[in-house]
């Protein structure tokens, strides 16, 4: 099947074909996040056990977050054979408006990083897994009203839904050039906490 | 997280290793069930808190990693 071409409508019991290559990108800030190395080791081991060609970058700066995502996409697009699945794990401190903090304390918007893979032709119609281990606010559940946490920067801007922003951005592309498969399709996001809450 | 890693990542790894042939979306639901059962200490270590994952899927097929 051409990556940009039409695909047969999946039946209710259909399963993704994972016979091609699998690639994982693990970006983890460990500075100032005690114990984060345990997560890096556990997740890295799992990815390798599941056959993912794994790239690990620890303590990326905010700029490196973006550059690594761009390079990951380029590697996938340049891959000789078919790519059947991609997994991206982002582990860092985060904020209520979908920011991720690099090791340098600078911010990057999560949706910008996620959007990078929506441009990846090799992954069109292929499953994309995003794992986010980061605070998404200062709220504790169940708990008192919002209280600033040291790991979560405050912002003067009103809270926006991360999923809403992602969908909005992706929809804009969808409207410009309708592909065979919507850009929003085939994505699994798993966040360690709900919007606005701290990650324990 | 300081001692053993985060509840989310550690539970996810444990659940996926236990049943890697199952549908990933179902496995994530199980991860969330287990994470929601855990009591965690708040930042001041004076109160017990709960965590809950957020799972969003636009998958169109079953996704089984093995």
């Amino acid at each position: 099947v051409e990556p940009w071409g039409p695909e047969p409508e999946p039946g209710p019991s259909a399963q993704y074909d994972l016979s091609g290559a699998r690639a994982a990108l693990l970006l983890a800030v460990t500075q100032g996040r005690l114990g984060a190395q345990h997560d890096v080791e556990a997740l890295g081991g799992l990815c390798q056990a599941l056959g993912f060609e794994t790239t690990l970058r620890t303590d990326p700066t905010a700029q490196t977050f973006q550059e690594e995502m761009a390079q990951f996409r380029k590697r996938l697009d340049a891959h000789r054979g078919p790519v059947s699945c991609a997994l991206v794990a982002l582990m860092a401190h985060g904020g209520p408006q979908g920011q991720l903090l690099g090791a340098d304390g600078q911010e990057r918007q999560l949706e910008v990083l996620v959007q990078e893979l929506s441009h990846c032709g090799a992954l069109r119609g292929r499953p994309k897994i995003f794992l986010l281990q980061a605070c998404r606010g200062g709220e504790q559940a169940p708990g008192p009203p919002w209280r600033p946490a040291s790991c979560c920067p405050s912002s003067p801007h009103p809270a926006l839904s991360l999923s809403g922003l992602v969908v909005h951005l992706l929809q804009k592309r969808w409207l410009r050039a309708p592909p065979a498969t919507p850009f929003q399709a085939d994505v699994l996001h798993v966040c360690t906490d709900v919007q606005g809450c701290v990650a324990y | 997280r300081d001692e053993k890693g985060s509840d989310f990542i550690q539970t996810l790894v444990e659940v996926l290793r236990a049943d890697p042939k199952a549908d990933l979306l179902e496995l994530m639901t199980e991860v969330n069930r287990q994470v929601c059962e855990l009591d965690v200490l708040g930042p001041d270590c004076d109160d017990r808190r709960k965590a809950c994952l957020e799972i969003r899927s636009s998958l169109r097929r079953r996704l089984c990693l093995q």
Side-chain angles (χ1 to χ4, degrees), chain A residues 22 39 141 184 186-187 189, chain B residues 6 50 54 56 58 60 65:
Chain A
R22 306 174 185 193
D39 287 346
Q184 305 96 318
D186 309 301
V187 180
H189 292 261
Chain B
S6 67
K50 286 287 188 182
E54 183 175 288
R56 299 195 311 272
S58 60
R60 296 174 300 148
L65 294 175

Side-chain angles (χ1 to χ4, degrees), chain B:
Chain B
R1 190 193 65 206
D2 293 8
E3 296 175 3
K4 294 185 292 187
S6 67
D7 291 335
F8 168 44
I9 297 295
Q10 296 298 321
T11 305
L12 181 149
V13 169
E14 189 176 312
V15 168
L16 264 69
R17 279 193 182 278
D19 193 6
K21 293 182 178 177
D23 178 27
L24 189 59
L25 202 49
E26 293 177 9
L27 291 175
M28 289 301 178
T29 304
E30 172 61 16
V31 172
N32 192 33
R33 187 190 68 77
Q34 293 190 21
V35 169
C36 285
E37 281 187 353
L38 297 172
D39 282 324
V40 292
L41 286 174
D44 300 328
C45 297
D46 59 353
D47 199 5
R48 294 204 173 274
R49 307 289 180 180
K50 286 287 188 182
C52 181
L53 307 187
E54 183 175 288
I55 303 169
R56 299 195 311 272
S57 171
S58 60
L59 297 178
R60 296 174 300 148
R61 297 173 164 87
R62 286 168 55 84
L63 176 54
C64 304
L65 294 175
Q66 198 175 75

Side-chain angles (χ1 to χ4, degrees), chain A residues 7 15-18 21-23 52 76 83-88 117 122-130 185-188, chain B residues 24 58-65:
Chain A
E7 295 181 1
Q15 194 167 309
Y16 285 103
D17 175 7
L18 297 188
R22 306 174 185 193
F52 284 85
L76 294 177
V83 179
S84 60
C85 183
L87 181 151
V88 174
L117 282 198
L123 288 175
R124 188 65 37 77
R126 314 296 183 210
K128 295 164 275 289
I129 305 162
F130 288 93
D186 309 301
V187 180
L188 176 63
Chain B
L24 189 59
S58 60
L59 297 178
R60 296 174 300 148
R61 297 173 164 87
R62 286 168 55 84
L63 176 54
C64 304
L65 294 175

Side-chain angles (χ1 to χ4, degrees), chain A residues 65-87:
Chain A
F65 265 116
Q66 197 156 356
E67 290 172 354
E68 287 293 339
M69 287 294 293
Q71 287 178 17
F72 186 60
R73 169 196 165 193
K74 286 177 184 172
R75 283 201 301 274
L76 294 177
D77 277 334
H79 196 274
R80 286 184 178 178
V83 179
S84 60
C85 183
L87 181 151

Side-chain angles (χ1 to χ4, degrees), chain A residues 35-172:
Chain A
Q37 196 61 32
H38 295 295
D39 287 346
V40 171
E41 291 166 6
L43 198 54
L46 176 72
C47 287
Q48 292 195 340
L50 292 173
F52 284 85
E53 185 180 318
T54 305
T55 303
L56 166 66
R57 296 286 181 269
T58 52
D59 296 324
T61 63
Q63 180 68 24
T64 308
F65 265 116
Q66 197 156 356
E67 290 172 354
E68 287 293 339
M69 287 294 293
Q71 287 178 17
F72 186 60
R73 169 196 165 193
K74 286 177 184 172
R75 283 201 301 274
L76 294 177
D77 277 334
H79 196 274
R80 286 184 178 178
V83 179
S84 60
C85 183
L87 181 151
V88 174
L90 304 170
M91 297 175 272
H93 290 309
Q97 274 83 50
Q99 314 98 312
L100 276 186
L101 269 65
D104 57 350
Q106 298 299 305
E107 298 176 356
R108 274 294 179 277
Q109 287 299 119
L110 178 62
E111 76 269 18
V112 174
L113 303 176
V114 170
Q115 193 186 23
E116 188 72 41
L117 282 198
S118 72
H119 297 181
C120 180
L123 288 175
R124 188 65 37 77
R126 314 296 183 210
K128 295 164 275 289
I129 305 162
F130 288 93
L131 305 177
L132 174 66
Q133 168 63 43
C135 286
R136 300 173 70 198
E139 193 167 320
Q140 301 170 42
W146 192 87
R147 180 171 53 174
S150 59
C151 64
C152 304
S154 60
S155 169
H157 303 298
L160 292 173
S161 157
L162 172 62
S163 56
L165 276 173
V166 172
V167 168
H168 173 71
L169 290 168
L170 297 179
Q171 278 178 339
K172 283 170 72 177

